[in-house]
Amino acid sequence: MRAFRCPNCGQAVAFEVQQCPTCAMTVGYHYPSRQMVCTPSQTITVDGHGWFRCPHWERGCNWLTADDAESGRCYADSFVREGPAPDDNEAMAELDSTLKSLRRLIFELMDLNLPIHPYYADTHGLAFDLVSSKTLGKPVTIGHSNGVITIDLAESLELYRERLRIKLGEPYRTMLGHFRHEVGHYYEMLLVQNTPLIDDARAMFGDDREDYQAALQRHYNGEAPANWQDDFISKYATSHPWEDFAETWAHYLHITGTLATI
């Protein structure tokens, strides 16, 4: 994540801050300009348009919301289609930290000029269901289906996530990593499937018409190509061409995100 500047004093401020640590000015993220702006009051005017602090401001969000926003929420948070019940305190605490990763993802996608539209504005739009297996009392499968990405909020808990990382033999497992991987499935669906690019994708990643469930079963049975490190970004990428694409996509976002901080 690249550094931002306080619009008041010019000093560096982090992406999630609501107050400049140098001059104490209240600041908010204005996504159309991709800049921090001064937000000394609940409502402000930027470039002739009205903006107000996100309704989740008290829960840590520093994004500004357009006064004519259809969802009534900031742009990043508006991608959430389903979340925990407001009185589910445990899941709501997990949601707050998870939304930080979601906002970083939305920023990255916009910064790369990728097509991104929320589910309520586009039939092919992107949606997130953020629910917790711990409070639902049943497993939540992280995955993508027709533009809807489901994330288990319980994985925002480091101990819970670390146990899964070890159990599944994954050297890298973070909430932002989940978002980046699953959105790779979305963009393969949006930009590659049923387009002239599908032949190039199959030449690079393999034939996606291979039985997906059977491929995953082989992976979880411990089957992997010999010397897979020579041709794949991760062991999970060997399981199926869809996962190869998504893992490669996620690592591209890891790299570009890191380079943006230099």
Side-chain angles (χ1 to χ4, degrees):
M1 182 60 67
R2 63 182 173 86
F4 291 84
R5 295 288 173 181
C6 171
N8 186 55
C9 70
Q11 296 299 307
V13 293
F15 180 60
E16 287 94 356
V17 302
Q18 296 178 338
Q19 186 178 66
C20 173
T22 303
C23 69
M25 171 62 72
T26 301
V27 296
Y29 179 65
H30 179 247
Y31 79 87
S33 65
R34 301 178 193 175
Q35 300 294 332
M36 294 293 180
V37 298
C38 295
T39 57
S41 60
Q42 177 67 26
T43 59
I44 62 170
T45 300
V46 181
D47 296 331
H49 298 281
W51 294 82
F52 61 90
R53 295 174 184 172
C54 178
H56 293 160
W57 185 275
E58 298 302 322
R59 305 189 68 91
C61 181
N62 70 339
W63 284 48
L64 298 179
T65 304
D67 60 8
D68 60 353
E70 181 179 344
S71 69
R73 294 173 288 169
C74 76
Y75 187 64
D77 290 5
S78 75
F79 283 82
V80 178
R81 188 184 72 163
E82 180 181 350
D87 60 352
D88 187 342
N89 294 330
E90 181 177 358
M92 287 300 291
E94 296 166 0
L95 177 66
D96 290 343
S97 59
T98 301
L99 285 175
K100 290 182 179 180
S101 296
L102 175 60
R103 294 175 196 125
R104 288 189 169 224
L105 174 75
I106 299 300
F107 171 86
E108 285 183 318
L109 300 178
M110 294 173 64
D111 214 35
L112 291 170
N113 292 317
L114 287 162
I116 177 168
H117 304 285
Y119 65 96
Y120 55 84
D122 189 328
T123 55
H124 300 293
L126 182 60
F128 293 87
D129 288 350
L130 307 180
V131 291
S132 175
S133 60
K134 289 180 70 66
T135 59
L136 287 177
K138 61 180 180 181
V140 171
T141 301
I142 295 176
H144 165 266
S145 178
N146 296 319
V148 178
I149 291 173
T150 301
I151 297 289
D152 183 4
L153 294 175
E155 291 220 21
S156 68
L157 305 173
E158 291 187 13
L159 181 59
Y160 181 90
R161 189 175 64 251
E162 181 66 9
R163 286 172 177 166
L164 281 176
R165 188 187 69 81
I166 295 172
K167 178 181 178 181
L168 297 175
E170 297 177 354
Y172 179 86
R173 191 179 182 95
T174 68
M175 292 302 281
L176 183 55
H178 283 319
F179 279 118
R180 286 168 168 168
H181 174 96
E182 298 304 336
V183 87
H185 289 304
Y186 169 71
Y187 280 108
E188 183 175 20
M189 179 196 78
L190 187 69
L191 303 177
V192 178
Q193 295 290 334
N194 302 314
T195 78
L197 292 175
I198 189 62
D199 291 332
D200 291 336
R202 286 171 178 164
M204 175 69 69
F205 300 105
D207 192 341
D208 56 289
R209 291 165 292 191
E210 175 189 356
D211 188 302
Y212 181 69
Q213 293 303 325
L216 284 189
Q217 188 60 54
R218 288 194 300 271
H219 170 75
Y220 288 118
N221 286 341
E223 300 178 35
N227 303 315
W228 62 263
Q229 297 92 335
D230 296 339
D231 299 304
F232 295 90
I233 198 72
S234 71
K235 192 172 184 179
Y236 189 52
T238 71
S239 62
H240 188 274
W242 286 343
E243 300 304 342
D244 192 6
F245 184 97
E247 283 288 270
T248 303
W249 179 280
H251 278 73
Y252 174 76
L253 293 186
H254 297 336
I255 292 168
T256 56
T258 300
L259 290 174
T261 67
I262 298 175

